[in-house]
Amino acid sequence: MLSAELSTTLQDIAQTLGLESDQGKALSQFLAKGFPTSKWEEWKYTSLKDFNGIDRNWFPKGNSNLPVSADWAELIIRSSDAYLSIDKASSNDGIEVLSFDEFVQKCPEFQMIWANKNPILDQNSLYDLNVALCPQHTVIWIKKDVEIAQAILHQYQVNSTEKASSVQSRLLIYVEEGAKASLIEQQTSTGSADILSNFVQEIFVSKGAQFTYLKDQDFQQGVSHIDHTFIYQAEGSQVDTFTFSLNASLIRNNLHFYIDGPQVVSNLNGLYVPGENQLMDSHTVVDHRMPHAESNELYKGVLMGNATGVFNGKIFVRQDAQKTNAFQSCRNVLASTRATMNTKPQLEIWADDVKCSHGTTTGQLNEEALFYMRSRGISLAAARTLLLLAFVQEVINKVEHPVLRESLTEKIIAKIQQSVDLSN
Amino acid sequence: MLSIKNLHASIGEKEILRGIDLEVKAGEVHAIMGPNGSGKSTLASVLAGREDYEVTEGTVQFLGKDLLDLAPEARAAEGIFLAFQYPVEIPGVSTTNFLKSAVNEIRKYRGEDPMDAVQFLKMFKEKMAYVNIDQSLLSRALNEGFSGGEKKRNEIFQMAVLDPKLAILDETDSGLDIDALRIVAEGVNKLKSPNNATIVVTHYQRLLDYIVPDYVHVLYKGRIVKSGTKELALELEERGYDWIKSEVD
């Protein structure tokens, strides 16, 4: 439960927002539940109990001037603090970046989609907190049949003040029929104060559209990042997600796919490399509601130091979703004796003509392989690095963009190497 | 080159080597034979530095250094190579990448500059001819899904690249058909020089038709109980190990 002090502060904010407004209602819901603790089934290993007693700067102001150099990006969108401030480094007729109000005015047909979207599964109090405190969605609108040859870069940066703060952001992406685009999201932070970064993304991918969403989560220690990504896919669309969790005190990724049409393809890729005093938690849901769709999930983790990892992968195959192919694999290496990994695959299948499989493994590096490598002159540290790198490469190699692949590889090698050196 | 004196080694409570004495000079080929469970593979593993075994007594000098004092990677850098009886699968690491790391780690140990990509390629091409190995095998993940013959051929290729002073072949003939055996043996013979030495650990005489030893030692119950020349191997082929066992027991 929230501390009395924090409760009072938030009640005051609710009053200001108006108790009957959507925001005020959401905040009341949050007040009733508080932050998740380990008593909540879905937060068993990721307790935010301590947050119930931390008063934060709930509306931090600030802006960032990020150095932008990405010649591979077609459009650069920067966001910082509570507001997604948009800065178009270049413009493209096929994309618009605007506020939610502007968007529904310009695109009235979206109101139907918005009103009929599936209810969110596992709605948690942090989602309510986001609705309450984030004033407005930012919308990225990718127009019909537009093909973005390069990528859209979104720089999501949270900045710290001296006081603990909370950053609530909300992004909506609408990919119209037949469009094709990739969004690369660099999630970073400045400063080292305690930040709660709570980010909601809702992505609507229309008929026949293709969308790739890559997150590079590389925060400073002190940041707790809660990421809620809801993806709604219409007939014949394909979505590929890549979630690379590199650094933060705590990362919780809720990634939910709603397969709302036939012939949909959903590919979920994830890689997490938590180290000393870091916790990384991936909760994924793939909800097969329509027939003839395919989902492939590949998550991998390397856990170093005293890190904690969590993977919970739910696959629902509803009665109407015949001829579904759903695959899930989660493999982990404990690169330290002090690290912990908790995995839980959860398949619920109501249809009878489907192919589903899942597998999770957690192990240590093969001692035999290490000796074999050492007997060829490779030092223990180098052998460990080589094996771990080979292990993570399977996910990295799926990234199409060579520049990105390289930079991710470099960052991950550096992190693994540092940990391997420390353990010697 | 190699001088083993009164070597005792155990795994857990069990003593497997019970006082081995062996001298190997440059240019020589020694065969270690013996019945199953006599300690042949243990001897090979102890020389390469496998940590499962504990050396309880004795010394091993290699080119004037105390071998037992060195980590496995340092032994490799000093010039010891163990061809494994069961080469290990290394998922996600190609033979090429694996050997690049190995060569440059060894060069680092010896205080030499790392080889660049061009030098590597040139050296690789040369060594590939030794064991008649295909480029496509080298770009695949090391030993993953390799046939028995491919694994052993790859071991000899690695040996060619690393150019050891002392090569220890641990049951290299196991699981090989006669053609693969010949190719592997030819590779070993091509690599032989007056400056290096080879220890061939084998159960059968068959391999020694191709790799002709200067000395043959019979290991039994953790000791070398008989030494001789290649004729000893032929005698063993004909009479089996029982006569030696009865001599010792």
Side-chain angles (χ1 to χ4, degrees):
Chain A
M1 273 286 103
L2 294 168
S3 70
E5 191 196 353
L6 182 51
S7 212
T8 313
T9 312
L10 291 177
Q11 266 157 10
D12 287 349
I13 295 173
Q15 291 282 352
T16 319
L17 293 168
L19 290 174
E20 287 311 307
S21 70
D22 288 347
Q23 283 181 272
K25 280 184 198 159
L27 196 52
S28 301
Q29 281 178 30
F30 175 77
L31 276 159
K33 292 188 256 183
F35 284 100
T37 70
S38 55
K39 285 184 191 143
W40 301 27
E41 182 59 28
E42 297 300 327
W43 295 79
K44 202 169 159 188
Y45 304 104
T46 309
S47 175
L48 303 182
K49 190 168 155 252
D50 292 351
F51 288 22
N52 283 322
I54 303 172
D55 195 9
R56 294 173 183 275
N57 181 359
W58 297 98
F59 298 99
K61 290 256 163 10
N63 54 69
S64 67
N65 246 330
L66 302 175
V68 176
S69 63
D71 49 12
W72 46 270
E74 203 140 319
L75 179 74
I76 296 170
I77 304 160
R78 301 184 224 172
S79 62
S80 67
D81 296 325
Y83 301 90
L84 289 175
S85 61
I86 301 142
D87 179 356
K88 277 175 255 191
S90 56
S91 65
N92 182 309
D93 292 341
I95 315 172
E96 265 188 73
V97 182
L98 60 185
S99 72
F100 187 76
D101 291 346
E102 269 180 284
F103 171 61
V104 288
Q105 261 175 20
K106 280 187 165 180
C107 183
E109 65 268 29
F110 186 77
Q111 287 178 12
M112 275 292 285
I113 298 172
W114 184 244
N116 292 325
K117 71 172 178 167
N118 285 310
I120 286 164
L121 300 167
D122 298 332
Q123 189 166 332
N124 60 60
S125 61
L126 282 144
Y127 180 83
D128 295 327
L129 186 68
N130 182 281
V131 172
L133 300 183
C134 179
Q136 177 91 271
H137 276 101
T138 295
V139 179
I140 300 176
W141 180 13
I142 299 155
K143 308 277 177 75
K144 191 165 182 277
D145 294 325
V146 164
E147 228 177 271
I148 313 289
Q150 289 178 305
I152 305 164
L153 172 64
H154 175 211
Q155 295 189 314
Y156 173 92
Q157 189 181 70
V158 292
N159 301 323
S160 77
T161 51
E162 274 169 32
K163 195 180 168 218
S165 58
S166 116
V167 176
Q168 312 286 333
S169 304
R170 205 169 169 88
L171 178 66
L172 190 149
I173 302 170
Y174 181 42
V175 186
E176 277 199 79
E177 211 175 303
K180 195 180 168 187
S182 330
L183 182 77
I184 312 297
E185 191 166 83
Q186 294 174 333
Q187 302 184 345
T188 56
S189 64
T190 59
S192 56
D194 172 1
I195 306 177
L196 167 62
S197 159
N198 190 21
F199 185 29
V200 173
Q201 301 118 86
E202 287 161 283
I203 299 162
F204 295 83
V205 182
S206 314
K207 195 174 165 185
Q210 287 180 43
F211 186 62
T212 302
Y213 193 0
L214 185 147
K215 292 172 198 284
D216 172 359
Q217 304 179 311
D218 196 1
F219 296 99
Q220 265 148 320
Q221 202 66 6
V223 173
S224 300
H225 179 73
I226 318 292
D227 202 288
H228 319 251
T229 304
F230 306 103
I231 297 174
Y232 304 92
Q233 280 189 260
E235 183 179 347
S237 63
Q238 176 172 340
V239 173
D240 294 67
T241 57
F242 294 88
T243 311
F244 292 99
S245 305
L246 299 180
N247 281 298
S249 289
L250 183 151
I251 294 179
R252 163 69 176 243
N253 288 308
N254 294 313
L255 174 62
H256 295 191
F257 274 78
Y258 299 90
I259 295 174
D260 290 331
Q263 317 287 354
V264 159
V265 177
S266 313
N267 297 316
L268 298 74
N269 304 288
L271 179 64
Y272 36 90
V273 290
E276 199 70 28
N277 299 324
Q278 297 183 335
L279 183 153
M280 294 183 186
D281 176 344
S282 310
H283 265 65
T284 65
V285 177
V286 181
D287 190 4
H288 282 271
R289 297 164 165 264
M290 297 295 266
H292 295 282
E294 181 189 320
S295 65
N296 300 294
E297 181 166 10
L298 173 67
Y299 270 64
K300 281 189 151 188
V302 174
L303 297 103
M304 299 163 280
N306 64 354
T308 305
V310 183
F311 174 82
N312 180 301
K314 293 188 183 69
I315 297 177
F316 300 121
V317 184
R318 312 270 175 192
Q319 203 155 13
D320 290 339
Q322 299 293 356
K323 303 281 180 195
T324 288
N325 287 332
F327 304 106
Q328 182 189 84
S329 163
C330 172
R331 292 163 62 197
N332 304 286
V333 174
L334 299 175
S336 144
T337 49
R338 294 180 297 130
T340 319
M341 182 69 210
N342 307 285
T343 58
K344 187 177 178 190
Q346 256 177 287
L347 273 66
E348 289 181 33
I349 301 167
W350 291 280
D352 52 15
D353 185 12
V354 300
K355 271 190 217 153
C356 295
S357 73
H358 68 92
T360 59
T361 56
T362 300
Q364 280 161 321
L365 287 178
N366 181 351
E367 287 295 329
E368 235 350 77
L370 287 172
F371 174 65
Y372 186 65
M373 298 172 90
R374 294 176 76 189
S375 80
R376 300 298 181 252
I378 300 171
S379 67
L380 182 59
R384 289 167 63 99
T385 306
L386 213 56
L387 285 181
L388 290 172
L389 189 64
F391 177 78
V392 300
Q393 210 74 47
E394 189 188 357
V395 181
I396 299 174
N397 283 348
K398 286 176 185 264
V399 175
E400 254 178 52
H401 215 290
V403 178
L404 218 52
R405 216 163 44 222
E406 218 167 280
S407 79
L408 283 164
T409 306
E410 269 170 31
K411 283 201 282 187
I412 291 168
I413 292 182
K415 182 154 186 189
I416 288 173
Q417 232 156 17
Q418 194 190 12
S419 146
V420 163
D421 289 344
L422 282 176
S423 69
N424 279 339
Chain B
M1 176 183 279
L2 180 76
S3 171
I4 304 176
K5 291 207 169 82
N6 191 31
L7 183 66
H8 290 249
S10 331
I11 186 158
E13 294 289 291
K14 198 172 172 223
E15 188 172 49
I16 299 178
L17 301 184
R18 302 165 184 215
I20 302 259
D21 290 284
L22 182 68
E23 294 286 330
V24 177
K25 296 194 178 64
E28 293 177 349
V29 177
H30 289 247
I32 310 263
M33 301 186 70
N36 286 331
S38 58
K40 301 188 299 285
S41 283
T42 300
L43 177 60
S45 292
V46 168
L47 292 178
R50 190 186 285 271
E51 282 158 350
D52 304 344
Y53 298 97
E54 197 195 338
V55 173
T56 49
E57 222 183 312
T59 58
V60 180
Q61 293 276 319
F62 178 65
L63 296 169
K65 285 201 171 127
D66 179 2
L67 193 69
L68 301 176
D69 214 27
L70 300 175
E73 55 268 36
R75 298 182 193 198
E78 292 289 346
I80 295 225
F81 180 90
L82 173 66
F84 279 53
Q85 182 177 5
Y86 305 108
V88 186
E89 296 189 2
I90 310 288
V93 183
S94 67
T95 306
T96 311
N97 261 344
F98 177 77
L99 282 175
K100 267 185 198 168
S101 303
V103 168
N104 279 337
E105 288 263 313
I106 289 175
R107 292 178 72 92
K108 194 165 91 186
Y109 179 94
R110 294 176 182 164
E112 296 164 5
D113 288 335
M115 265 194 183
D116 63 32
V118 181
Q119 288 170 302
F120 254 119
L121 214 65
K122 193 166 166 284
M123 191 257 288
F124 262 48
K125 285 236 164 81
E126 279 169 27
K127 307 284 182 168
M128 274 162 66
Y130 275 78
V131 275
N132 194 10
I133 201 164
D134 198 58
Q135 176 71 52
S136 66
L137 200 64
L138 302 182
S139 46
R140 279 166 54 189
L142 180 53
N143 292 328
E144 211 178 30
F146 284 21
S147 71
E150 284 171 332
K151 282 184 184 171
K152 296 298 168 72
R153 204 178 292 189
N154 193 288
E155 290 291 287
I156 305 305
F157 174 67
Q158 292 181 34
M159 181 176 145
V161 168
L162 298 178
D163 193 18
K165 296 194 181 81
L166 175 66
I168 305 162
L169 312 180
D170 185 12
E171 308 261 3
T172 293
D173 46 342
S174 70
L176 286 191
D177 63 32
I178 201 77
D179 290 330
L181 187 71
R182 213 181 50 238
I183 291 168
V184 164
E186 274 170 13
V188 173
N189 288 331
K190 277 186 209 163
L191 295 169
K192 224 167 77 178
S193 85
N195 303 319
N196 61 30
T198 311
I199 296 177
V200 183
V201 174
T202 183
H203 183 77
Y204 299 106
Q205 191 268 340
R206 197 174 64 154
L207 180 64
L208 305 180
D209 285 341
Y210 300 97
I211 303 171
V212 181
D214 300 300
Y215 301 97
V216 174
H217 310 278
V218 180
L219 201 61
Y220 180 57
K221 289 190 175 169
R223 282 194 197 96
I224 291 177
V225 293
K226 205 168 188 67
S227 293
T229 54
K230 66 181 182 210
E231 283 72 25
L232 177 58
L234 293 169
E235 196 176 354
L236 286 168
E237 178 76 358
E238 207 172 293
R239 301 175 61 190
Y241 287 108
D242 285 348
W243 63 281
I244 290 191
K245 287 186 191 171
S246 60
E247 266 181 29
V248 177
D249 297 334

